[in-house]
Amino acid sequence: MDIVLLILLILVLLALVFLYGKWQSLALLLQEQAEDTADNLSDQLSYQLENATLKQQQAIHQEVERLRTELYQQLTDIRQELNKSHLETRDATDRRLQAIQESNEKRLEEMRQTVEEKLEKTLQTRLQASFETVSKQLESVNRGLGEMQTVARDVGSLNKVLSGTKTRGIMGELQLGQIIEDILTPSQYEREFATVSGSNERVEYAVKLPGRTEGDYIYLPIDSKFPLADYYRLEDAYESGDKDQIDFHRKNLLAAIKRFAKDIQSKYLNPPETTNFGVLFLPTEGLYSEVVRNPIFFDELRRQENIVVAGPTTLSALLNSLSVGFKTLNIQRSADDISKVLGNVKLEFGKFSDLLVKAQKQLNQASSNIDKLLTTRTNAIERSLRTIDLYEDDQTKGLLGLSPLDEEDNEN
């Protein structure tokens, strides 16, 4: 709105300047025309004076002087009026320009204050929001640092816990037990079981495999081992990039795995009470991958020590396959039992059919006998009694001690 007013005032000013220019041009034009007219009249009078008499020349000269004086006076008046009008127009324009300037300065000052207030308010709001965001992020960073410190302490505690051989063994056994208990039912495995008769050595877990007879089992020994120290040394060698150290610590790790395999083979394998192979469980996939990375060593354990090395994923797959086999065997046994039951039902149904045939024959014979009684015997009795008179008095009925048939029917 302020800009529109400013533009309108500038247009008014330009119009006034244009009118003033037009007015001045008109005054100059009138002055030039008057001078031209005076010159023409002077020339004409001079010409006439040459041809007129002296008196006429004097009269004409006086008239010319009078006309020139009047014309000069008129021109002077016009010039004064133009100057006065110009001064008034200039004063009015100056006053209007000054008023416009003051109004514009006032409005510009108000606009400047408004803009400064809005800018200051917006800047304060954004700065406050930025400070709040930065504060929240710093708090999150502090919390993250605190959590990282907690994790670092927990990792340190875990390292201290895992530094003990017995503790590592317990952790490996717990992980092994969790996998077995998730896949198999309690009736399909034994825990802390002596797979060799008369031996005090007990394997951590032994999976029951069906034997040749019902109720007889063959046990698959599974024992967990956790050579964490050798594995950590190998990991440190990988980080350092020293090839000699890597080869050295890898050999130490494989040697430890082989000792564990021999230990399982000597303590827990006893065919035919057990399978001819055992399972060495390694609790981490990284440790298992180090063994599998050397296929020759992996195959030697299987052929020489009769030991299969398994990680968490491999053991889960093995136990799942065994679980499916158990279910298939149960289905087969159930199918045999069902077949026997159906055979017995078939035999009993044959006997039942024979009994029904005999019962039907007996019922038919009884029906035939009843028909004979109703026809032949009844007719013979009626013929024999035709010569006997009927007595329907109450005294005669009382001799037999029988109640009338109609009364018996009503009672029934």
Side-chain angles (χ1 to χ4, degrees), residues 21-268:
K22 285 288 186 179
W23 183 266
Q24 192 171 9
S25 299
L26 181 60
L28 292 174
L29 181 61
L30 291 174
Q31 185 177 0
E32 289 177 357
Q33 288 179 355
E35 290 178 355
D36 291 339
T37 304
D39 291 337
N40 290 330
L41 290 174
S42 178
D43 292 338
Q44 291 177 2
L45 290 173
S46 297
Y47 177 75
Q48 290 178 1
L49 286 174
E50 290 178 357
N51 298 322
T53 60
L54 180 60
K55 187 177 180 179
Q56 290 176 345
Q57 289 179 355
Q58 290 177 353
I60 291 170
H61 181 71
Q62 290 176 357
E63 185 67 22
V64 169
E65 288 295 332
R66 187 182 65 79
L67 291 173
R68 180 177 292 178
T69 302
E70 290 179 359
L71 182 60
Y72 179 77
Q73 185 64 36
Q74 290 178 359
L75 290 173
T76 302
D77 294 338
I78 291 171
R79 184 177 295 173
Q80 289 177 356
E81 289 179 0
L82 288 174
N83 290 331
K84 184 178 179 181
S85 177
H86 173 67
L87 292 173
E88 291 177 354
T89 303
R90 186 181 66 183
D91 293 338
T93 303
D94 290 339
R95 287 193 299 272
R96 290 182 180 180
L97 288 175
Q98 187 175 1
I100 291 171
Q101 185 177 2
E102 291 176 355
S103 177
N104 288 336
E105 289 178 354
K106 184 177 180 181
R107 291 183 179 275
L108 288 173
E109 183 65 22
E110 292 176 355
M111 290 173 64
R112 185 181 63 80
Q113 291 179 357
T114 304
V115 170
E116 287 180 354
E117 290 176 358
K118 290 183 178 180
L119 286 175
E120 185 177 0
K121 184 177 180 180
T122 304
L123 183 61
Q124 289 179 355
T125 304
R126 291 186 178 180
L127 287 175
Q128 186 176 0
S130 299
F131 282 130
E132 290 178 356
T133 304
V134 171
S135 299
K136 291 180 180 179
Q137 291 178 353
L138 289 175
E139 290 178 0
S140 300
V141 170
N142 289 329
R143 286 196 298 270
L145 290 174
E147 293 175 357
M148 289 178 65
Q149 291 176 355
T150 303
V151 171
R153 287 195 298 270
D154 294 340
V155 170
S157 301
L158 181 61
N159 286 329
K160 291 180 181 179
V161 170
L162 294 177
S163 60
T165 305
K166 185 175 181 180
T167 306
R168 292 199 300 269
I170 293 173
M171 289 190 64
E173 183 179 352
L174 289 174
Q175 187 174 359
L176 173 61
Q178 186 66 41
I179 294 173
I180 293 177
E181 291 170 5
D182 288 342
I183 298 174
L184 301 180
T185 61
S187 62
Q188 293 174 340
Y189 64 88
E190 295 287 348
R191 184 176 180 182
E192 297 296 332
F193 184 73
T195 56
V196 179
S197 301
S199 174
N200 294 326
E201 300 293 343
R202 296 181 178 272
V203 71
E204 292 175 357
Y205 286 89
V207 178
K208 294 180 180 180
L209 301 179
R212 294 182 178 179
T213 60
E214 187 174 357
D216 187 18
Y217 295 104
I218 298 174
Y219 295 94
L220 170 62
I222 303 176
D223 200 62
S224 66
K225 300 296 180 182
F226 202 176
L228 188 62
D230 294 328
Y231 179 65
Y232 278 170
R233 294 190 190 99
L234 180 59
E235 289 295 318
D236 293 338
Y238 278 131
E239 291 180 0
S240 64
D242 190 343
K243 188 176 183 303
D244 295 335
Q245 289 293 321
I246 292 173
D247 294 337
F248 175 74
H249 291 298
R250 182 184 290 128
K251 289 179 181 179
N252 290 338
L253 177 62
L254 296 180
I257 297 294
K258 192 167 186 178
R259 287 196 304 272
F260 293 146
K262 288 183 177 181
D263 187 58
I264 294 173
Q265 193 272 338
S266 62
K267 291 181 180 180
Y268 308 128

Side-chain angles (χ1 to χ4, degrees), residues 157-399:
S157 301
L158 181 61
N159 286 329
K160 291 180 181 179
V161 170
L162 294 177
S163 60
T165 305
K166 185 175 181 180
T167 306
R168 292 199 300 269
I170 293 173
M171 289 190 64
E173 183 179 352
L174 289 174
Q175 187 174 359
L176 173 61
Q178 186 66 41
I179 294 173
I180 293 177
E181 291 170 5
D182 288 342
I183 298 174
L184 301 180
T185 61
S187 62
Q188 293 174 340
Y189 64 88
E190 295 287 348
R191 184 176 180 182
E192 297 296 332
F193 184 73
T195 56
V196 179
S197 301
S199 174
N200 294 326
E201 300 293 343
R202 296 181 178 272
V203 71
E204 292 175 357
Y205 286 89
V207 178
K208 294 180 180 180
L209 301 179
R212 294 182 178 179
T213 60
E214 187 174 357
D216 187 18
Y217 295 104
I218 298 174
Y219 295 94
L220 170 62
I222 303 176
D223 200 62
S224 66
K225 300 296 180 182
F226 202 176
L228 188 62
D230 294 328
Y231 179 65
Y232 278 170
R233 294 190 190 99
L234 180 59
E235 289 295 318
D236 293 338
Y238 278 131
E239 291 180 0
S240 64
D242 190 343
K243 188 176 183 303
D244 295 335
Q245 289 293 321
I246 292 173
D247 294 337
F248 175 74
H249 291 298
R250 182 184 290 128
K251 289 179 181 179
N252 290 338
L253 177 62
L254 296 180
I257 297 294
K258 192 167 186 178
R259 287 196 304 272
F260 293 146
K262 288 183 177 181
D263 187 58
I264 294 173
Q265 193 272 338
S266 62
K267 291 181 180 180
Y268 308 128
L269 294 184
N270 185 31
E273 295 181 1
T274 66
T275 57
N276 58 355
F277 70 95
V279 177
L280 170 60
F281 174 70
L282 299 177
T284 65
E285 294 293 344
L287 187 57
Y288 174 70
S289 65
E290 287 297 331
V291 178
V292 178
R293 186 177 295 178
N294 192 337
I296 298 175
F297 175 76
F298 188 83
D299 189 60
E300 285 180 356
L301 291 180
R302 183 181 59 81
R303 288 186 293 102
Q304 297 178 5
E305 309 299 338
N306 294 325
I307 296 298
V308 175
V309 181
T313 304
T314 310
L315 182 63
S316 298
L318 175 62
L319 294 178
N320 278 317
S321 63
L322 291 176
S323 177
V324 172
F326 292 154
K327 292 178 182 178
T328 304
L329 183 61
N330 290 331
I331 291 172
Q332 290 178 352
R333 289 179 176 176
S334 299
D336 294 338
D337 295 338
I338 292 171
S339 178
K340 292 178 181 179
V341 171
L342 290 176
N344 292 329
V345 170
K346 182 179 180 181
L347 179 62
E348 294 297 328
F349 188 78
K351 294 179 180 179
F352 179 70
S353 178
D354 295 338
L355 291 174
L356 286 177
V357 171
K358 291 180 180 180
Q360 186 179 12
K361 290 180 180 179
Q362 292 176 359
L363 289 173
N364 291 332
Q365 184 66 34
S367 177
S368 177
N369 293 333
I370 291 171
D371 290 338
K372 288 180 180 180
L373 289 174
L374 288 174
T375 56
T376 306
R377 297 300 178 186
T378 302
N379 293 332
I381 292 171
E382 287 180 351
R383 284 194 301 270
S384 300
L385 295 176
R386 284 176 184 173
T387 58
I388 299 174
D389 295 332
L390 294 174
Y391 295 95
E392 295 182 356
D393 57 335
D394 295 335
Q395 185 177 1
T396 304
K397 293 178 180 179
L399 293 175

